Amino acid sequence: MPAVWLARLWGVAPEAVVAGEIFLFGLIVLHLCKALLPFDGEKCQVFLNGLAALIFFMPGFSFAEREHVAVMAALPIICLWSLPSSSKITWSLRFVSACPAALTIIIKPHFALVIGLPLLWRAFVMRRWHMLFAFESLLIAALVLCYVALIIFRYPVFFDVMPALVETYVPIRAPLKEVLTGGWFLAHLGLAALILW
C-alpha cells in the first residue's frame, strides 16, 4: 500500500515502486542480519551472499508477494535466535528484529511456525525455557494480538468473507510431481546445494 500511494503521488507505475520498496526492505534485512552475526570477514560475506540470493533471486515469480515479504521479515529474528546465549544484543536491535517477525505471522498465521520453531529449538537445546518469554518473543506476540484485535473491532466483515475465501482458495493445489520438476524448484535446489558446498 505505501508503494502504491507513493506511485500515485509521483505519477509513476506502481510496479516499479513496489519493486524498489522490496529491494530496500531486502537491503535493510541484510543490514540487520549482518549486525546480528557472531562472525565477520569472509565467513560473514559468504553468509550474506547466501542471504542475498535467498532474498533477491530465489523468490522467482513470487517476488514482492506475501510469502517473499514474510521470508525476509523472518530472517532477522532467526539470526538473533541463532546467537550464543552469552551474546550481548542491544534492546534496540532486539526490538527491530522482533517487529518484522510479527509481520511474518500477520501476513500468514501459519508462518508462526517459522518464528516459533527456532525459538522452541533454542530453548530445548539450552534447557532454558524462560527464553520463550524473552522480550522479543513477548513483543512479537503483543504485536500480533494487537493486529487481531484491530481486525475484530475495526473490520468485523472479514469473518463474513472468510468462509468464501476458504472455499475458493484452499482446494487450489499444484500436483507434487509438477512442483518437484518445475524450473524454479530445481534452480533453488541447485542454488541451495551450491551454498551448502
Side-chain angles (χ1 to χ4, degrees), residues 57-68:
F57 171 73
M58 292 181 81
F61 292 115
S62 295
F63 187 88
E65 295 204 13
R66 290 173 300 171
E67 294 80 2
H68 182 206

Side-chain angles (χ1 to χ4, degrees), residues 15-187:
E15 292 82 1
V17 184
V18 168
E21 180 184 63
I22 295 301
F23 275 110
L24 178 62
F25 184 54
L27 292 173
I28 291 168
V29 165
L30 285 175
H31 180 73
L32 269 173
C33 291
K34 183 179 181 181
L36 290 163
L37 293 179
F39 45 78
D40 52 15
E42 187 179 349
K43 200 172 183 181
C44 174
Q45 195 55 55
V46 168
F47 184 81
L48 290 175
N49 288 348
L51 280 186
L54 175 71
I55 289 172
F56 298 121
F57 171 73
M58 292 181 81
F61 292 115
S62 295
F63 187 88
E65 295 204 13
R66 290 173 300 171
E67 294 80 2
H68 182 206
V69 175
V71 166
M72 288 193 294
L75 290 173
I77 201 74
I78 292 171
C79 285
L80 176 69
W81 285 337
S82 66
L83 291 173
S85 60
S86 58
S87 301
K88 301 294 180 196
I89 305 298
T90 64
W91 286 96
S92 58
L93 201 50
R94 292 168 72 186
F95 178 84
V96 295
S97 298
C99 290
L103 179 64
T104 297
I105 299 169
I106 288 168
I107 289 172
K108 290 207 170 181
H110 59 278
F111 285 176
L113 292 171
V114 174
I115 304 301
L117 290 178
L119 177 61
L120 283 171
W121 178 251
R122 180 178 171 89
F124 172 75
V125 167
M126 296 184 172
R127 300 291 190 265
R128 295 183 178 179
W129 296 106
H130 66 276
M131 287 180 163
L132 299 176
F133 305 98
F135 165 74
E136 53 273 9
S137 53
L138 293 177
L139 178 60
I140 292 166
L143 290 171
V144 170
L145 289 173
C146 284
Y147 179 78
V148 170
L150 177 70
I151 297 286
I152 291 169
F153 295 112
R154 185 71 180 91
Y155 303 101
V157 72
F158 173 78
F159 297 99
D160 298 333
V161 176
M162 187 56 125
L165 292 174
V166 169
E167 285 179 25
T168 304
Y169 288 106
V170 169
I172 301 173
R173 290 190 178 90
L176 184 60
K177 181 182 176 186
E178 191 178 302
V179 172
L180 296 178
T181 57
W184 278 112
F185 178 79
L186 296 175

